[in-house]
Amino acid sequence: MSAVLTNPLRVGLRQERIIPAQCIVIFGASGDLTQRKLIPALFELYRQRRLPSEFAVLGCARRPWSDEEFRSRMAEALGDEIAGHGHIWEGFAAGLFYEPADLANPVSIVALGERLEQIDRLRATRGNRTFYLSVSPAFYGSGTRALAAAGLLDDPDRTRVVIEKPFGTDYPSAQALNKVVQACAKEKQIFRIDHYLGKETVQNILVLRFANTIFEPIWNRNYISNVQITAAETVGVEERAGYYESSGALRDMVQNHLTQILALTAMEPPGRFDAEAIRNEKAKVLQAARLAHRSEPWKCCVRGQYGPGGSARSPIPGYREEPGVNANSTTETYVAMKLFIDNWRWQGVPFYVRTGKRLPKRLSEVVLTFREAPVHLFDAAGGAPTPNQLILRIQPDEGADIRFEVKAPGSGMRSRPVDMAFSYDESFGEPSDEGYVRLLADAMLGDPTLFTRSDEVEAAWRLYTPLLELIEDAPWQLPVQPYEARTWGPAAADVLLADDGLVWRRP
Ligand code: BG6
């Protein structure tokens, strides 16, 4: 969480839209996401004075907590965030309520409706409701159905439902889930959340591309030779083996976060800046994307799993030794793959995508590498000039770099690569928000621009279907290859690029 309440620069720089009177109902209120992300994000909005006074949070879970107990647990979860802001916390906490409820039990959802009406009267929230499903994905369909059956989604202008990832586990299950939720609510009420789209730097891909004239003319196959998209994490599976064992990196990171970054990087300019225009272009580019070897997917994908690593003083357990992980698990904690986008802009340009846990650095970035100069006039450090690169630093150290050759000082005419760097921190002097701050605000405002539409989700799952089927039906063709914790993944991932005469960027 960013600790930022009163930075006047920050307030001044923003043109915030006003969130209307609102009750946000969080299912899964006793869970990790609520405590680590949702409540801190709502508190941050409150501190930024972006929540109206007619505001309430209703936490729902099976535990029989009282309002008071919920408040004190959320205060505990916020810890240092509220130290020194006691009075602000008190104002926020007055709007926190709790109701034991079970999405699997329609009767309890009907009772919830009554509690919501009480809250409407008490807090003047006027029937504006955002239902946030931070529950096991098994309940996304039935939970939305229970809300609809209780009449809680009847008003398409005042009610909406936010659905966490993963939205389905493959193409058919995503299609089926879309059918269920679309039978309960209008598409404009359904907010499929991908927290990467809440990151400033991910949104900045759009601004950088479409608010400048220097990039877009060269943003295509004539100038760009390849694109690398990386999301590296230092953490392991943490306490999430129960979920991760059946998900793996492909479903956990690639199908959603990395594919969204790919879509923003590769999409055509939208005709206007609105939700439908942007999502149309993202859906189109995903429909044109394909694995580099569709019928032999093992040739364009590498799966890895971290083994033990670290040092004698601070050893890191391997994935199979993590609590809750099967000792023979074949779940991947690393994926690298090569994709193509079959359209006029990108035909023939490889997009390499990789993500992994327990890598040496936490870092997400997009690297666009430009074609080499046709003639090398100068001696270059390393023999040949480094191709120009545009590096979009998603996190941490948010910003962008342009790498180009300059004359190295001295009497000769040797060239050397340098970086021209833009840093969010240096230019704006403020840390960027957690994605959830932005996305919760947008959901409450009913703005779906940064949420994933049904056709996008389906296109993303369809893209990876050949891989998912292979892992299911012939896993020996795409085995998980071990890599030592704190290294950059299995050697085969390097070979994937070496075969094309390339290397992964080592930041
Ligand atoms: C989540 C994944 O969606 O994103 C996690 O489930 C992953 O496995 C996390 O660690 C990464 O998010 P961020 O914002 O820390 O890059």
Side-chain angles (χ1 to χ4, degrees), residues 418-436:
V418 291
D419 286 341
M420 196 158 70
F422 150 67
S423 146
Y424 262 91
D425 190 25
E426 276 170 29
S427 298
F428 299 110
E430 57 171 322
S432 64
D433 278 335
E434 278 279 345
Y436 280 98

Side-chain angles (χ1 to χ4, degrees), residues 253-425:
M253 292 289 289
V254 177
Q255 183 275 341
N256 37 59
H257 307 325
L258 290 177
T259 306
Q260 286 298 319
I261 295 178
L262 174 115
L264 293 173
T265 306
M267 68 190 254
E268 294 299 314
R272 353 173 256 281
F273 186 74
D274 73 21
E276 291 325 301
I278 289 175
R279 299 194 300 177
N280 287 344
E281 297 306 336
K282 279 164 63 198
K284 264 159 55 184
V285 82
L286 293 180
Q287 283 151 6
R290 66 169 170 90
L291 299 177
H293 298 275
R294 234 176 321 205
S295 52
E296 297 170 309
W298 57 89
K299 290 192 174 162
C300 61
C301 177
V302 174
R303 294 166 74 222
Q305 188 187 71
Y306 65 84
S311 60
R313 275 181 52 205
S314 57
I316 299 174
Y319 178 69
R320 292 178 184 184
E321 292 140 29
E322 299 275 18
V325 172
N326 182 329
N328 299 313
S329 172
T330 55
T331 299
E332 78 279 348
T333 61
Y334 177 99
V335 194
M337 68 175 78
K338 177 177 168 186
L339 302 160
F340 284 117
I341 297 171
D342 287 337
N343 64 15
W344 278 58
R345 186 185 285 264
W346 294 115
Q347 183 62 43
V349 177
F351 281 71
Y352 302 97
V353 168
R354 69 174 163 166
T355 184
K357 292 202 181 281
R358 289 284 191 225
L359 301 187
K361 255 191 172 171
R362 173 171 182 260
L363 147 136
S364 298
E365 65 176 23
V366 181
V367 182
L368 297 111
T369 301
F370 291 86
R371 296 198 182 283
E372 282 184 26
V375 180
H376 298 166
L377 289 180
F378 311 108
D379 290 341
T386 312
N388 297 144
Q389 287 184 325
L390 174 62
I391 299 150
L392 309 179
R393 286 182 273 116
I394 307 286
Q395 67 183 23
D397 191 16
E398 291 86 352
D401 299 333
I402 297 179
R403 173 160 295 187
F404 54 97
E405 295 279 310
V406 296
K407 180 185 173 301
S411 57
M413 280 299 268
R414 283 173 71 79
S415 73
R416 239 181 62 187
V418 291
D419 286 341
M420 196 158 70
F422 150 67
S423 146
Y424 262 91
D425 190 25

Side-chain angles (χ1 to χ4, degrees), residues 165 195-196 199 233 240 252-253 257 357 362 395:
K165 68 142 232 253
H195 79 277
Y196 265 57
K199 294 180 192 282
E233 297 188 273
R240 302 164 67 222
D252 183 50
M253 292 289 289
H257 307 325
K357 292 202 181 281
R362 173 171 182 260
Q395 67 183 23

